Amino acid sequence: MRILLVGAGGTLGSAVREALAERGHDVLGVGRTGGDVVCDVTDPVAVAEMYERVGPLDAVAVAAGDAVFKPLAELTADDVAATLRGKALSQVELVRQGARHVSATGSFTLVSGVLTEEPIVAGAAASAANGAVEAFVRAAAIELPPRRINAVSPTVAEESLPAYGPFFVGMEPVPAARVATAYVRAVEGAQTGQVYRVR
């Protein structure tokens, strides 16, 4: 399959890229500043241009999303908007526009996260964005067939503990490679409208 992977250079994205490549897929990595394709996926115009450049695809997968972590009392309207744009709206746009570029038997795999069900202090914006992604997946699944759409919802990755560990106190981390197996399942499987939780 020819797969567009957003966030391929990140901690999770690198593991996902490796897992998909090992299974013989042709993976095009998308990054904001580097990769096979450079694109700011929070910009709908840039997304449209990207799809025109890369040509036909069999799948689109997302392994990145920006979120602001601040206590609710310090969270601004701009912080909330930035988080929704960086984590939810960007993924909605990738699907909305991508449906015209992904093969009829293709798929979309989005990313949410543990904070949908297990909120933390300073994570309200991220929880809201994750919940929006999962609701969108369920809704889009009834309109996209025969194309499929699913989400992967991981807990914090072991490799990300130095940066995010203080936010996820008491939550057991998982290796990024284990999360990547859920992406393989989403890309190669037959289900749609699912959220694959990796805890």
Side-chain angles (χ1 to χ4, degrees), residues 7-139:
T11 299
L12 175 57
S14 296
V16 173
R17 182 172 198 155
E18 183 177 351
L20 292 171
E22 283 179 353
R23 296 185 62 79
H25 299 298
D26 177 15
V27 182
L28 293 172
V30 179
R32 187 173 294 164
T33 58
D36 304 311
V37 181
V38 176
C39 179
D40 177 0
V41 296
T42 66
D43 178 357
V45 174
V47 169
E49 292 171 351
M50 174 189 69
Y51 276 128
E52 290 299 328
R53 285 198 315 269
V54 301
L57 298 163
D58 297 300
V60 174
V62 185
D66 294 332
V68 177
F69 288 85
K70 284 184 183 178
L72 188 60
E74 299 173 17
L75 204 59
T76 67
D78 286 344
D79 293 331
V80 175
T83 300
L84 290 172
R85 185 170 55 251
K87 186 71 183 277
L89 297 180
S90 58
Q91 296 193 80
V92 170
E93 196 65 18
L94 284 164
V95 175
R96 189 185 72 79
Q97 295 195 41
R100 298 189 297 274
H101 300 273
V102 170
S103 66
T105 56
S107 69
F108 295 89
T109 303
L110 308 187
V111 63
S112 59
V114 66
L115 300 186
T116 309
E117 318 82 37
E118 299 186 39
I120 60 171
V121 172
S127 290
N130 286 346
V133 170
E134 294 186 11
F136 173 72
V137 164
R138 289 189 291 271

Side-chain angles (χ1 to χ4, degrees), residues 121-169:
V121 172
S127 290
N130 286 346
V133 170
E134 294 186 11
F136 173 72
V137 164
R138 289 189 291 271
I142 67 174
E143 297 191 52
L144 281 173
R147 296 172 187 87
R148 299 178 302 104
I149 183 169
N150 297 291
V152 174
S153 174
T155 188
V156 64
E158 287 179 355
E159 295 86 345
S160 298
L161 285 178
Y164 295 104
F167 291 106
F168 293 88
V169 176

